[in-house]
Amino acid sequence: MPTIEKVWFENERIYLLTDGGETLSRPLEAFPCLKEATAEERMNFRIGRFGDDIRWEKLDEDVHISSFYETVEPDPDNEIGRIFRNFPQLNVSEMARYIGINKSLLAKYIYGIKKPSKDRTYQIKKALHDIGQELIAV
């Protein structure tokens, strides 16, 4: 496995340069924690001892070089993603807590990195409907 020589961010993507001269890239949607981070937070990383991973201590995020070899690009134009784009006032952290799932997992559904099952999609939409009913009662 090649090792990481350089890391940079450009055009909503993260790039790596390997010791073999290969440039690898992934969209930030593939790493929701990095997508939500500031430019300054993104640049506060260290390459791991073996050169095969990157660590953002303050973000508590780790990315392995192997994830740059995935060929599937995120699909942000999905049902859950559209809901959250149409209602930007929804707080992903609070919605995840309300639903009872990890924020990172909900973000992966929103950015199209992972596809929720039919049951999970129902669970997310039901939680949104429940909140809507609570708001109507106000």
Side-chain angles (χ1 to χ4, degrees), residues 33-99:
C33 184
L34 296 177
K35 179 157 179 67
E36 294 175 10
T38 66
E40 182 180 327
E41 289 171 327
R42 287 183 197 140
M43 293 310 296
N44 189 12
F45 65 86
R46 67 174 171 75
I47 297 172
R49 184 170 91 192
F50 301 109
D52 62 353
D53 69 313
I54 311 159
R55 172 78 179 153
W56 287 265
E57 194 65 42
K58 289 189 178 184
L59 299 174
D60 192 24
E61 179 76 359
D62 298 284
V63 174
H64 193 269
I65 192 171
S66 62
S67 64
F68 284 80
Y69 289 98
E70 295 174 5
T71 57
V72 177
E73 292 287 309
D75 175 21
D77 189 30
N78 64 76
E79 184 178 19
I80 301 301
R82 282 190 299 274
I83 291 169
F84 279 82
R85 274 193 309 282
N86 288 338
F87 298 94
Q89 62 274 35
L90 291 173
N91 180 296
V92 177
S93 295
E94 291 304 317
M95 278 306 304
R97 188 178 351 267
Y98 187 85
I99 296 166

Side-chain angles (χ1 to χ4, degrees), residues 3-60:
T3 59
I4 301 165
E5 293 289 318
K6 181 180 175 185
V7 179
W8 72 97
F9 297 86
E10 190 175 301
N11 300 322
E12 293 297 307
R13 295 183 74 87
I14 179 174
Y15 290 85
L16 303 181
L17 178 65
T18 69
D19 60 344
E22 184 178 19
T23 300
L24 305 173
S25 173
R26 295 283 286 150
L28 286 178
E29 285 85 3
F31 310 104
C33 184
L34 296 177
K35 179 157 179 67
E36 294 175 10
T38 66
E40 182 180 327
E41 289 171 327
R42 287 183 197 140
M43 293 310 296
N44 189 12
F45 65 86
R46 67 174 171 75
I47 297 172
R49 184 170 91 192
F50 301 109
D52 62 353
D53 69 313
I54 311 159
R55 172 78 179 153
W56 287 265
E57 194 65 42
K58 289 189 178 184
L59 299 174
D60 192 24

